[in-house]
Amino acid sequence: MVIQRPKGTQDIIPGTIKRWHFLETQIRKICSEFGYQEIRTPIFEATELFQRGVGETTDIVNKEMYTFLDKGQRSITLRPEGTASVCRAYVENKFYAQPQPVKLYYLGPMFRYENTQAGRYRQFHQFGAEVLGAQDPLVDAEVIHLIWEFYRRIGLKGLEVHLNSVGCPVCRTEQRSQLQYYLQERKSDLCLDCQDRFEKNPMRILDCKNKGCQALTVDVPTTLDTLCEECKEHFAKVQQALRDCGIEYRINPKMVRGLDYYQRTAFEVMAEGIGAQSAICGGGRYDGLVEEIGGPSTPGIGFAMGIERILAVLDKQKVAIDNDQENKVLIAALGAQARQEGFKILSELRQDGVSALMDLMGRGLKSQMKYADREGVRYVLILGDEELAKDAIIVRDMRLGDQSEISRGAIKKYLLKNMKNSKYLL
Ligand code: HAM
C-alpha cells in the first residue's frame, strides 16, 4: 500500500513553490523596510509555554495541540502559533536589555490538530511579526499598516480589516460581570463550550460560531461597552492613526480572537471568496504576555497571517505573479561537438549569475523548444554544426518570437543589453 501524507498536510511541489518564493521575497523585503529583524525559534517547545501563553481556556490549547512526551519524559508541543515562542525568546535572550522596541518577524510551519477543511490545515504556515516594548497606539497602527501595505504590494483586493478593543484586566472584570449578568438566565441554552466559557472566560462567548449562541448574544454588552477610560483613549488614537495612513477598517465589537493573551487592540483581516476560512490575518496587543511567561512587564503587539490562505486569495483573484523568469536562458546544442561547446557557454553564463539551462537528454530542436516553453525561458541560444563553423550562435527571443545570429564572443554583451534586469551580469 502506498503511504500517504498525514491528513491536513500538503506537499509544496515545484509547480507551486514559485508562489511561495514570491511571497517570501515580498515578506523579507517589507519587513526589512519597516525595520523588523527575522527570528527563528524552535518548531517544538515545552508544552507549558503554550498553556501559560496562549491560555488554558482556548480551543488551541484544549483541543488542538500536538503534544507528546519525549524520551526524557518532558511534555513537548509542536508550536501551534509563534507569539508565545517569540516572547519566550525575548526573555531568554534578554532582548529587554536592548533599546526598545524590539521588532521581530518569523515565517514557518505551525501545527494544530483541527477538523480539516478548505483553508484549514493541521500543518500550515504563518508569516508573523511582533513588536515588543512599545505601548504607543501609533505602534498598533504601524503594525496594521505593514499588513495593509503588504497586501497592496502583492496585489490583493477587496479585503476588510475588522477592528476591536478587548480592554485590559481592569475592563475585563466589568465585562465579565456584565456578560454573566446578561446571560445568566439563558446559560443553559448556550452550547457546551460556551457554558464552560461562561465561568472561565465569558468574553469568548461573543464570537462563538454556533448559531444558537449568536442569537442569544445579539444584544449583550460588548467589549467596547465596558472599556475603561485609558483603553477608550488608546482605541481612539489607534483609529485616528489608521485614518491618517488611509487604512479602511470596520469596528467589530464582537471580534474577541481565539487566544487568551490579547489586551486592548484586536484585529483580523477578512478576504472574500475563499470559503468559510476567510480570516487571512489576525493579531492584536498582548501587554501581559511577556510577564505571564516569566519576563519583565513588557507591552507587545503583533499579527500572523496564513500563507496558504493568502495563496488561495491570490488564486481566486487571478493575481499574476512575477516569477522573474524574464531572464532565463536555454542552450539548445545539437550534435556532440556543439554540446561540448554549449556546456562551456552554460558554465560561463552561470558564473556570471545568469539563470541558464541546457538540455542534457540529447533531444531534437523541437522538443528543446517545448522544454524552453515549459520552463518559462526567455532566450534560447541555438548552437549546431553550422554555427560552430562560423563561431556564431543563434539567439531566439521566445517572447518576441524573433531570432538573430550573433558571434560567440558577443553573447554576454547581447544579454546585458536585452535582459530586463541585467545587474547579475555586471
Ligand atoms: P491566529 O488567528 O490563530 O493568530 O492565526 C493567524 C492566522 O493564521 C489566521 O488568520 C489564518 O490566516 C492562519 N491560520 C490559523 N490556523 C490555520 C489553519 N489551521 N490552517 C490554515 N491557516 C491557519 C495567531 O496565531 C496569533 N499568534 C497572531 C498574533 C501574533 N497575535 C499577536 N501576534
Side-chain angles (χ1 to χ4, degrees):
M1 204 177 75
V2 180
I3 300 172
Q4 294 183 326
R5 58 176 189 261
K7 192 174 170 195
T9 65
Q10 298 185 94
D11 295 315
I12 304 166
I13 52 178
T16 48
I17 198 77
K18 284 173 188 149
R19 300 170 85 69
W20 286 75
H21 289 166
F22 164 75
L23 285 184
E24 286 161 13
T25 306
Q26 296 296 325
I27 287 167
R28 295 189 195 291
K29 186 164 181 292
I30 198 165
C31 284
S32 126
E33 285 171 27
F34 276 65
Y36 289 75
Q37 310 236 43
E38 187 179 358
I39 184 162
R40 299 185 189 182
T41 60
I43 301 284
F44 59 84
E45 297 268 7
T47 303
E48 199 191 347
L49 174 69
F50 304 113
Q51 286 168 337
R52 271 209 263 160
V54 176
E56 300 268 21
T57 67
T58 61
D59 283 354
I60 294 181
V61 169
N62 272 325
K63 305 179 188 166
E64 297 170 1
M65 294 210 298
Y66 279 91
T67 298
F68 57 95
L69 285 182
D70 71 6
K71 291 190 199 304
Q73 302 305 303
R74 300 170 199 91
S75 181
I76 295 291
T77 294
L78 298 186
R79 61 180 188 192
E81 61 104 51
T83 313
S85 302
V86 170
C87 290
R88 182 207 40 73
Y90 176 87
V91 177
E92 205 163 335
N93 294 287
K94 299 194 174 53
F95 287 168
Y96 48 78
Q98 295 178 6
Q100 305 292 297
V102 173
K103 296 165 74 172
L104 302 165
Y105 78 94
Y106 50 91
L107 187 60
M110 306 291 161
F111 306 85
R112 297 185 192 174
Y113 193 82
E114 305 231 40
N115 291 322
T116 53
Q117 61 183 93
R120 190 193 268 165
Y121 306 101
R122 292 187 175 167
Q123 175 175 334
F124 59 98
H125 296 75
Q126 281 186 344
F127 152 42
E130 316 288 349
V131 182
L132 288 145
Q135 199 140 35
D136 197 308
L138 284 183
V139 179
D140 307 32
E142 195 210 24
V143 163
I144 298 172
H145 185 214
L146 189 158
I147 300 164
W148 188 254
E149 178 59 15
F150 176 71
Y151 291 143
R152 192 190 66 75
R153 287 187 190 185
I154 63 171
L156 292 194
K157 297 199 180 70
L159 306 178
E160 204 168 44
V161 178
H162 289 214
L163 186 70
N164 193 17
S165 174
V166 294
C168 66
V170 177
C171 329
R172 208 60 65 82
T173 317
E174 180 62 19
Q175 257 170 38
R176 192 185 167 84
S177 58
Q178 285 213 20
L179 266 176
Q180 286 177 333
Y181 175 79
Y182 274 87
L183 287 170
Q184 206 157 26
E185 298 197 340
R186 289 170 271 180
K187 187 181 160 191
S188 54
D189 299 328
L190 293 168
C191 73
L192 289 179
D193 279 343
C194 282
Q195 291 188 23
D196 196 38
R197 288 172 186 146
F198 185 87
E199 299 301 337
K200 291 185 182 150
N201 191 357
M203 181 179 84
R204 298 222 32 246
I205 299 174
L206 289 175
D207 78 347
C208 178
K209 303 291 173 270
N210 181 298
K211 292 266 178 290
C213 297
Q214 285 177 354
L216 289 173
T217 53
V218 173
D219 299 320
V220 295
T222 66
T223 57
L224 291 185
D225 296 318
T226 46
L227 288 188
C228 67
E229 282 313 309
E230 282 91 13
C231 286
K232 255 189 212 156
E233 196 186 322
H234 186 97
F235 195 43
K237 285 184 176 159
V238 173
Q239 291 180 63
Q240 181 60 50
L242 288 179
R243 287 193 295 270
D244 289 346
C245 44
I247 296 170
E248 289 157 35
Y249 59 88
R250 188 159 85 86
I251 303 281
N252 180 352
K254 291 203 173 151
M255 193 262 303
V256 299
R257 310 272 302 126
L259 301 95
D260 277 354
Y261 48 60
Y262 291 110
Q263 288 188 23
R264 296 192 164 168
T265 314
F267 54 84
E268 277 180 0
V269 183
M270 317 301 273
E272 276 176 9
I274 54 165
Q277 302 309 312
S278 57
I280 56 169
C281 178
R285 187 164 270 289
Y286 46 84
D287 291 348
L289 179 56
V290 173
E291 208 172 348
E292 180 66 42
I293 59 174
S297 167
T298 310
I301 179 163
F303 68 83
M305 48 179 88
I307 302 286
E308 288 83 355
R309 291 191 192 170
I310 298 173
L311 288 170
V313 189
L314 283 171
D315 277 349
K316 185 83 198 167
Q317 297 187 357
K318 300 196 168 32
V319 178
I321 284 172
D322 178 5
N323 281 323
D324 205 21
Q325 290 187 332
E326 188 64 359
N327 291 337
K328 245 183 179 173
V329 172
L330 176 88
I331 297 162
L334 305 160
Q337 219 190 325
R339 269 156 63 88
Q340 200 180 335
E341 182 60 22
F343 192 74
K344 251 165 75 189
I345 299 173
L346 177 74
S347 33
E348 282 165 22
L349 288 177
R350 284 180 171 167
Q351 277 163 27
D352 283 332
V354 177
S355 165
L357 298 170
M358 183 173 160
D359 171 62
L360 297 172
M361 304 295 286
R363 279 185 273 243
L365 186 60
K366 212 166 147 196
S367 50
Q368 294 205 37
M369 287 302 184
K370 275 194 197 145
Y371 177 41
D373 250 354
R374 219 175 37 239
E375 291 292 326
V377 162
R378 173 75 192 267
Y379 303 100
V380 179
L381 305 182
I382 305 167
L383 188 64
D385 290 340
E386 212 178 298
E387 288 74 33
L388 268 183
K390 288 194 272 183
D391 203 20
I393 199 158
I394 295 171
V395 187
R396 185 170 171 79
D397 183 330
M398 298 294 279
R399 188 146 66 83
L400 303 180
D402 56 23
Q403 63 183 49
S404 52
E405 192 179 272
I406 58 172
S407 79
R408 159 84 170 79
I411 297 173
K412 188 168 165 179
K413 205 164 142 212
Y414 177 92
L415 293 176
L416 247 177
K417 197 167 128 234
N418 290 283
M419 277 183 165
K420 193 174 116 193
N421 184 358
S422 55
K423 68 174 188 291
Y424 304 111
L425 290 164
L426 296 173

